Amino acid sequence: MSQHIAKPRTTAVILAGGTGQRVGLSIPKQLLKIAGKAVIEHTLTTFEKADSIDDVIVLMAQGYVPDVEKIVAKAGFTKVKKIIEGGSTRNETTERAISALGEGLAEGEDPNVLFHDAVRPLLSRRVIDDCVAALERYQAVDVAIPSADTIIVTRTHGEDGEFITEIPDRSRLRRGQTPQAFKLSTIRRAYEVAAGDPNFQATDDCSVVLKYLPDVPIHVVAGDEYNMKVTQPVDVFIADKLFQLASTAAPEQVGEDAYRELLTGKTLVVFGGSYGIGKDIAELAESYGANVYALGRSTTGTHVENPEEVDDALSTAYAETGRIDHVVNTAGVLRIGKLAETDNATIEEALKVNYLAPVQIARSSYKYLAETGGQLLLYTSSSYTRGRAEYSLYSSTKAAMVNLTQALSDEWAGDGIRVNCINPERTATPMRTKAFGQEPSGSLLSSEAVARTSLDVLLSELTGHVIDVRQQDPTAGAAQASGFEQALATVLDRQDGM
């Protein structure tokens, strides 16, 4: 009879002992806000959501432990078990972590440990999972990516400056990242041996194993270009932009029976439900047993730019069904033309329908969605990442929808309300046909496909996300594609989208 071998515990150690001197800050750079949250909060969120991680320890810069404690308490991170001060050097910080990890271990217990830089907030769960999986076979694991740049070795000759002495073969060069993963016994032993070296100094933990335990092979896991380190001032701006552009793949579709179970008896209010995506969402949800209120100018006479009519529509739905679970707004107008040649009435219409109306819908929906823990679903356009000539008003208001989504998801999180934003590829809708005329068959996404994805998002636990919907989803084969490649595909797709 075979004995069940317990899976070793896996702890992530977040190394946050650095200061913000190189970024020109008076506070540690891990406390700098990027995309509305402290860098370290983004990092902790990834580990909190990673199924392969059991708990987390934070080693914070001296004097700033209370700041992290507040972040952890507010965000509700349950995996963070200890927040302690780091040392004056990277080596000392790791030694403190090893000591903390050894507390309370059962005899013979040898857990996994992942050391990760707090200032790498864009780490993917794929890399985490790959590191943990590699520890089933190896005692030490590093994360690295190929070097796109030629690396040169130089030597300084007095006042004449630097001169090249060597150009290594780039095909063998890798850029190291974190996490670096180990069996606890291995990294502990490496540091014990290193302690006997009076000249011991290291900037990372794999180099300690390489030098002091040369017989231990260090396996390399493929990293991710997206997993950048916020070190220089320019990194702050790049990371902020990457968070803005980051999109989420649509959640997996559930079976027909699950749709009925999740939607029967629920109330869905769809603004912009006269035709196109809104109409398809309404019909789809209704087919699964939802109480649907499809509202539009041409069908129910509802003008989304009129706050009173929005309030009336929501109060009617609530009065008749006793609840509102989801509010969807697909209403929008797209007028093509140069801004300098656009009249005031057209400008006013674009701002009222595309921006003020979603704001009013959100405000009016709040009390109903707070009661049910429901979701507000908004819509953007691929042009939100870069405005397009001759539809500047549309592009700019769609960029505002992304910001509104991200802001409200944070603002309403404590009330249990989810807020998401759908970003469809160029879609065959009456609005698009009116603006661009007939386009080649097969070049556009169907409104039914966008509606199906919209329903999946409404039934998910996502919040604060921009969900891309494309004819060919670049996240297919995500095990092979890096997060950066997916993001790049997203950006490239958006160059021609609408």
Side-chain angles (χ1 to χ4, degrees), residues 118-138:
V119 289
R120 291 186 186 271
L122 290 153
L123 174 68
S124 71
R125 274 182 268 176
R126 192 272 302 168
V127 172
I128 295 173
D129 293 343
D130 285 356
C131 286
V132 176
L135 286 175
E136 294 177 10
R137 183 174 178 182
Y138 304 99

Side-chain angles (χ1 to χ4, degrees), residues 328-340:
V328 178
N329 178 49
T330 65
V333 292
L334 171 59
R335 305 284 186 251
I336 303 298
K338 296 178 180 178
L339 183 62

Side-chain angles (χ1 to χ4, degrees), residues 2-8:
S2 62
Q3 289 186 330
H4 174 70
I5 300 175
K7 182 182 175 183

Side-chain angles (χ1 to χ4, degrees), residues 74-197:
K74 184 178 179 181
F77 295 134
T78 59
K79 290 185 180 179
V80 179
K81 304 303 181 186
K82 294 178 182 178
I83 304 169
I84 56 182
E85 283 197 346
S88 56
T89 64
R90 169 64 181 262
N91 301 8
E92 187 181 338
T93 298
T94 299
E95 288 169 351
R96 289 189 182 190
I98 291 170
S99 177
L101 288 162
E103 295 173 2
L105 288 182
E107 187 176 350
E109 187 178 357
D110 192 13
N112 300 328
V113 54
L114 274 65
F115 292 98
H116 183 67
D117 296 326
V119 289
R120 291 186 186 271
L122 290 153
L123 174 68
S124 71
R125 274 182 268 176
R126 192 272 302 168
V127 172
I128 295 173
D129 293 343
D130 285 356
C131 286
V132 176
L135 286 175
E136 294 177 10
R137 183 174 178 182
Y138 304 99
Q139 298 176 51
V141 178
D142 202 354
V143 171
I145 57 175
S147 176
D149 297 317
T150 296
I151 305 299
I152 62 174
V153 180
T154 67
R155 180 176 295 168
T156 302
H157 290 274
E159 295 181 357
D160 292 333
E162 289 184 300
F163 294 83
I164 293 177
T165 60
E166 183 184 354
I167 301 178
D169 179 5
R170 190 174 70 185
S171 67
R172 297 183 59 203
L173 296 177
R174 299 291 182 269
R175 290 159 51 200
Q177 300 183 328
T178 64
Q180 293 184 331
F182 310 90
K183 302 303 293 186
L184 177 59
S185 61
T186 299
I187 191 65
R188 180 193 285 137
R189 189 165 78 254
Y191 269 86
E192 287 171 351
V193 176
D197 180 356

Side-chain angles (χ1 to χ4, degrees), residues 18-289:
T19 64
Q21 291 179 348
R22 276 186 288 182
V23 191
L25 298 172
S26 59
I27 60 170
K29 52 187 177 290
Q30 53 270 26
L31 294 179
L32 179 71
K33 283 199 172 183
I34 289 179
K37 297 179 182 178
V39 170
I40 194 171
E41 183 174 351
H42 288 295
T43 304
L44 289 172
T45 297
T46 300
F47 284 99
E48 179 77 17
K49 292 181 177 179
D51 294 336
S52 55
I53 298 298
D54 297 302
D55 45 38
V56 177
I57 295 176
V58 180
L59 276 294
M60 186 56 189
Q62 295 178 1
Y64 290 94
V65 167
D67 296 85
V68 181
E69 289 175 338
K70 289 176 184 175
I71 289 171
V72 169
K74 184 178 179 181
F77 295 134
T78 59
K79 290 185 180 179
V80 179
K81 304 303 181 186
K82 294 178 182 178
I83 304 169
I84 56 182
E85 283 197 346
S88 56
T89 64
R90 169 64 181 262
N91 301 8
E92 187 181 338
T93 298
T94 299
E95 288 169 351
R96 289 189 182 190
I98 291 170
S99 177
L101 288 162
E103 295 173 2
L105 288 182
E107 187 176 350
E109 187 178 357
D110 192 13
N112 300 328
V113 54
L114 274 65
F115 292 98
H116 183 67
D117 296 326
V119 289
R120 291 186 186 271
L122 290 153
L123 174 68
S124 71
R125 274 182 268 176
R126 192 272 302 168
V127 172
I128 295 173
D129 293 343
D130 285 356
C131 286
V132 176
L135 286 175
E136 294 177 10
R137 183 174 178 182
Y138 304 99
Q139 298 176 51
V141 178
D142 202 354
V143 171
I145 57 175
S147 176
D149 297 317
T150 296
I151 305 299
I152 62 174
V153 180
T154 67
R155 180 176 295 168
T156 302
H157 290 274
E159 295 181 357
D160 292 333
E162 289 184 300
F163 294 83
I164 293 177
T165 60
E166 183 184 354
I167 301 178
D169 179 5
R170 190 174 70 185
S171 67
R172 297 183 59 203
L173 296 177
R174 299 291 182 269
R175 290 159 51 200
Q177 300 183 328
T178 64
Q180 293 184 331
F182 310 90
K183 302 303 293 186
L184 177 59
S185 61
T186 299
I187 191 65
R188 180 193 285 137
R189 189 165 78 254
Y191 269 86
E192 287 171 351
V193 176
D197 180 356
N199 299 315
F200 170 51
Q201 188 174 3
T203 57
D204 74 290
D205 300 306
C206 279
S207 65
V208 180
V209 173
L210 182 67
K211 183 174 182 178
Y212 298 103
L213 299 179
D215 293 333
V216 174
I218 303 174
H219 180 68
V220 178
V221 161
D224 193 336
E225 286 281 0
Y226 219 19
N227 185 19
M228 64 177 290
K229 188 175 183 180
V230 179
T231 303
Q232 303 297 335
V234 68
D235 299 333
V236 176
F237 296 102
I238 293 172
D240 196 70
K241 181 57 67 175
L242 287 174
F243 270 112
Q244 180 195 9
L245 297 180
S247 59
T248 302
E252 291 184 8
Q253 295 184 3
V254 294
E256 296 288 303
D257 291 340
Y259 279 123
R260 291 188 182 87
E261 182 181 343
L262 293 168
L263 285 167
T264 298
K266 299 296 176 64
T267 299
L268 209 75
V269 178
V270 182
F271 293 97
S274 296
Y275 53 80
I277 297 169
K279 182 174 183 289
D280 290 335
I281 291 172
E283 291 178 350
L284 195 57
E286 198 166 40
S287 73
Y288 291 121

